[in-house]
Amino acid sequence: MSADSLDVASRFDVAYVDADGVERSVKLEELSRVKLEAARPVRSFPSYAGQRNYPGWYWSATMGRLVGFESWVERDHLIAIDFDPVVTAVASQPFWLRWSVDGRLRRHAPDFFVRVAGGGVLVLDSRPLDRIGESDREAFQATQQACDLLGWRYAVWGTMNGVVVANQRWLAGYRHPRCMDEAVAAQLREVFAQPLALMDGAELVGDPIATLPVLFHLMWRHELEADLSLVLSDRSIVKAAMGAGGRRG
């Protein structure tokens, strides 16, 4: 960082929880050297009677372990992140960003830290856009400034398209490696070398009860693809993805 950037960065204090559960404080400029995907969430995901949000844990194919979320909007974003083939790591509630405004201490924990192929980083907050208040805007602005200083991208994602969410959630049900059968997969790759209706291709390979889980797993891996902006059905046109080489999961 330049001298001017270091001066701005000094306004921020950062804390994260390492893999051993120890909270550690660092200067903002040191955060880029921390392997945040190995860190623990800086806060818990409480569940109690009457709460308005729905927290939980999602098994990430990218990470091979559970990643937490605090709402269904966050869950939908987490699935989308896990489905994205350029994502190499994801962590939830990765760090506290702390600063002061007019002598008043503020802190904010972004919802997700995402590392992408090539070494890029995205820091993400999930919030329905119509529910962003003044306090949120202040926190998001501070997080944007901190990420800019680190050379990281920052974004606030709102509610996603319902059809895309439903399709990605369906495919996520087949993300685990246990859904893979290489012999069946080889036949499916051959059948869908040319565009074909989903169920027609599944039946050409064998009993759909056995072939569909593998087909959906290959779609999760981006080896087979369909237009996910349309409702996924037995009539969806499926084809081999361009340059498909497989991915995690």
Side-chain angles (χ1 to χ4, degrees):
M1 290 186 185
S2 67
D4 289 342
S5 295
L6 286 171
D7 181 60
V8 176
S10 67
R11 303 173 190 173
F12 295 104
D13 176 47
V14 181
Y16 70 96
V17 178
D18 68 17
D20 296 322
V22 178
E23 181 171 302
R24 301 189 181 278
S25 295
V26 296
K27 296 178 181 179
L28 179 64
E29 60 267 27
E30 297 173 330
L31 191 61
S32 61
R33 298 194 292 272
V34 176
K35 192 176 181 181
L36 288 170
E37 56 267 46
R40 298 186 184 184
V42 294
R43 62 183 182 188
S44 61
F45 305 95
S47 179
Y48 52 89
Q51 74 181 108
R52 297 174 61 185
N53 60 309
Y54 297 90
W57 294 90
Y58 167 84
W59 186 84
S60 165
T62 303
M63 302 302 294
R65 58 176 171 79
L66 295 174
V67 177
F69 58 85
E70 293 186 296
S71 69
W72 283 352
V73 171
E74 284 190 26
R75 176 204 58 190
D76 294 343
H77 291 163
L78 182 54
I79 291 173
I81 291 166
D82 201 33
F83 183 57
D84 191 331
V86 306
V87 171
T88 60
V90 59
S92 59
Q93 310 294 325
F95 58 86
W96 284 115
L97 181 68
R98 300 185 289 221
W99 70 99
S100 63
V101 178
D102 299 327
R104 179 170 53 95
L105 294 177
R106 288 293 313 275
R107 70 175 185 173
H108 175 63
D111 292 317
F112 298 109
F113 170 88
V114 183
R115 199 177 296 279
V116 300
V121 168
L122 168 66
V123 174
L124 179 67
D125 272 306
S126 300
R127 194 69 51 88
L129 300 183
D130 60 352
R131 292 177 56 187
I132 296 176
E134 185 59 37
S135 179
D136 296 323
R137 281 189 284 272
E138 180 185 308
F140 296 162
Q141 183 178 16
T143 308
Q144 176 75 72
Q145 185 178 33
C147 288
D148 286 346
L149 290 167
L150 291 168
W152 293 352
R153 290 190 298 126
Y154 173 70
V156 179
W157 285 1
T159 304
M160 295 175 59
N161 177 279
V163 172
V164 173
V165 166
N167 287 338
Q168 290 184 350
R169 194 184 308 160
W170 177 266
L171 295 180
Y174 300 89
R175 66 192 182 278
H176 197 279
R178 64 173 171 262
C179 295
M180 184 61 165
D181 182 311
E182 189 53 52
V184 173
Q187 296 179 69
L188 288 168
R189 294 187 191 103
E190 183 176 349
V191 163
F192 288 107
Q194 298 298 322
L196 187 64
L198 185 151
M199 187 59 74
D200 289 347
E203 290 180 334
L204 281 174
V205 172
D207 185 344
I209 292 178
T211 61
L212 283 174
V214 184
L215 192 162
F216 293 135
H217 183 72
L218 291 177
M219 292 181 69
W220 173 263
R221 289 168 53 93
H222 296 272
E223 292 192 47
L224 301 179
E225 63 182 12
D227 185 351
L228 297 185
S229 68
L230 304 175
V231 175
L232 192 63
S233 74
D234 60 341
R235 298 184 300 276
S236 295
I237 300 301
V238 177
K239 61 181 180 179
M242 293 293 292
R247 56 159 282 173
R248 63 199 174 258

